[in-house]
Amino acid sequence: MTTTYPFSAIVGMDGLRLALLLNAVSPAVGGVLVRGEKGTAKSTAVRAIASLLPEVDVVAGCRFSCDPAAPDPSCPDGPHEPDTGEARPARMVELPVGASEDRLVGALDIERALSDGVKAFEPGLLADAHRGVLYVDEVNLLHDHLIDLLLDAAAMGASYVEREGVSVRHAARFLLVGTMNPEEGELRPQLLDRFGLTVEVAASRDTDERVEVVRRRLAYDEDPAGFAARWAADEDALRERIAAARALLPGVRLGDRALRQIAAVCAGFEVDGMRADIVTARTATALAAWAGRADVRTEDVRGAALLALPHRRRRAPFDAPGLDEDKLDEILRRFEEDDPEPDPDPGPEGPDDGPDGSGPEGPGGADDPGGRPEGGAGDGAREQAPPAAPEPEPSVPDQRTAEHEPAGGEAEGDGGTGGGAAGGERAAVGAAEPFRTRRLDVPGLGEGAAGRRSRARTAHGRTTGARRPRGALSALHLTATVRAAAPHQRARGRRGPGLLVRRDDLREAVREGREGNLVLFVVDASGSMAARKRMSAIKGAVLSLLLDAYQRRDKVGLITFRGADAELALPPTSSVDAAAVRLERLPTGGRTPLAAGLLKARDVLRVERLRDPSRRPLLVVVTDGRATEARRSGGATPVERAGRAARMLAGDGVASVVVDCESGPVRLGLAGALARELRGTPVTLDELRADSVTALVRDVRTVSTSRRAA
């Protein structure tokens, strides 16, 4: 049996530990989302908290963990006999990123249901997690359809499994805990809102603390059982304190004044909906119970807001979650001035210095004077003192209106549209406000990862046909199954009204939905694009396309070309935020090596095709079509080299869109010529807008039709 790393032995990370402990005190808080870089003990802390949860009483033999005091009347294993309860530890169930729908919600034997009328149901992870913890590592990488199922179960407290009119329902109330690395992409807002609290973790920069982390971890790896035994007393103390706080929780008074404070804070941060107010109230109550107090105070409201609001405040696209503590203090200060608080009754004193009551640093912290065994620890890292607000990441939209002067005081211009010297580098300019773009599709029918861009055969979507099952049957096509079984009824000796179905009669539905694509941006950053307002508009257009890619669940990559070569500024990734940051910092200037940018794109797509052959690419070239790199002696011109590279991409079957950035009364039409070489679609900046009068439906599909005709 694997020995779990002790929760009390984790170094630092006070905000994370407090959030987990508050959920242990009050599961109604709604779980916690842990955001942080890799290697910061996120998973270690989550797994450790499960061992501190109180035991639960369950009906003996029930696969759905029914409470013997109030069994679920619709439990598939019911009805239950009275006096059949037993106690067991609360479970922590892990949901793998690659789990199937049947593994999550359970599997129903369709063949037995049709032929024998029996509901043969195998429970899934939602049933296992009932009255326990459902832990999702890398929750931001979870497939969309699994996220939808989680949202439904979390909202209703029950899981429904339906297959062609045959349905099973069971209770599924669990504490949802997720961890994620923001560099790999953000969560959908609907799922983000389902987490009660959120905390940011980062590796400590304190040398002594990092040494202590390594020392404890090595000690644990060398002797897990012995290490756990040395921390057993601290673990028992935490269990007792959780139990005491749970017992106190129903008696904690959340007065009208505290409720008005919560409402003022939530309104001040312009959070969407009312869930933020409810979660903040529950968290403040749990904080008071954890501190051993019978009334919710201002410090409880402040601490709850720092945990419950960062991921719910209204923010611009690509802004990281975060909360301005100065603004929070100002809101609370104004409230105090308008409604001063009377002198509170001191009440019972509670150990409120740290999440475990052992001092400001928690058990084993840097300020712990002694009495703790030395050696070993989780991959812990310190956050701000609990419940400190996370440091917000650089906010891209806040920088969009900033104007920067060109480096070196150079004049505006294209910086080298002929064979002269290359133009100097210019400082980055902010992007214009993003807008809603039209959808750009990859032609044909793919079979890639589920998403929202191009047509594809998927497990979910509208039914377009039927076929014999490939492996386990998950989506029955009832009509096709009945048609296949009907001719054989007499030969099978059918005498009654029932239909005799054999395995060979079963047909599964063929469905069509949408897939996510690899959207590779190739952006011209040369001097010809460097005019201040022009580059700002171009960045705004690319930022809009990035936002569209995020909403459609695409992977994105970014290539820039300027001066003498092209650069892969961002390898293909699910983190659209990272692409937005790179775009915002993009300088301009120099010649226009268009051919180098296209060839770099071809190399990147070739490698990605080997890594993920089912994900189809969409190439988006943002340029005015000029090619002005230095001409080689006796060789092809820059325009000819660019045309040759474009034809190579077209020969690879890469779907492409050319965003024409040329402006002014006189236009050369070079971007349109490039689009023809790519067999792609030329689109102006105006045509990218969803509210544009020009119909963009003629775009990729029209080109695809002409390509097939040719």
Side-chain angles (χ1 to χ4, degrees), residues 584-597:
E584 192 70 24
R585 298 171 180 171
L586 178 66
T588 57
R591 298 184 186 275
T592 313
L594 177 57

Side-chain angles (χ1 to χ4, degrees), residues 389-434:
E391 280 292 325
E393 299 174 9
S395 174
V396 174
D398 292 344
Q399 302 171 6
R400 290 178 193 141
T401 56
E403 291 289 344
H404 302 274
E405 291 300 324
E410 294 164 2
E412 305 280 3
D414 62 21
T417 57
E425 178 177 308
R426 303 176 187 277
V429 298
E433 283 298 315

Side-chain angles (χ1 to χ4, degrees), residues 1-6 219-232:
M1 181 177 179
T2 303
T3 302
T4 304
Y5 190 92
Y220 171 77
D221 291 341
E222 182 179 346
D223 182 11
F227 182 81
R230 292 196 295 273
W231 288 89

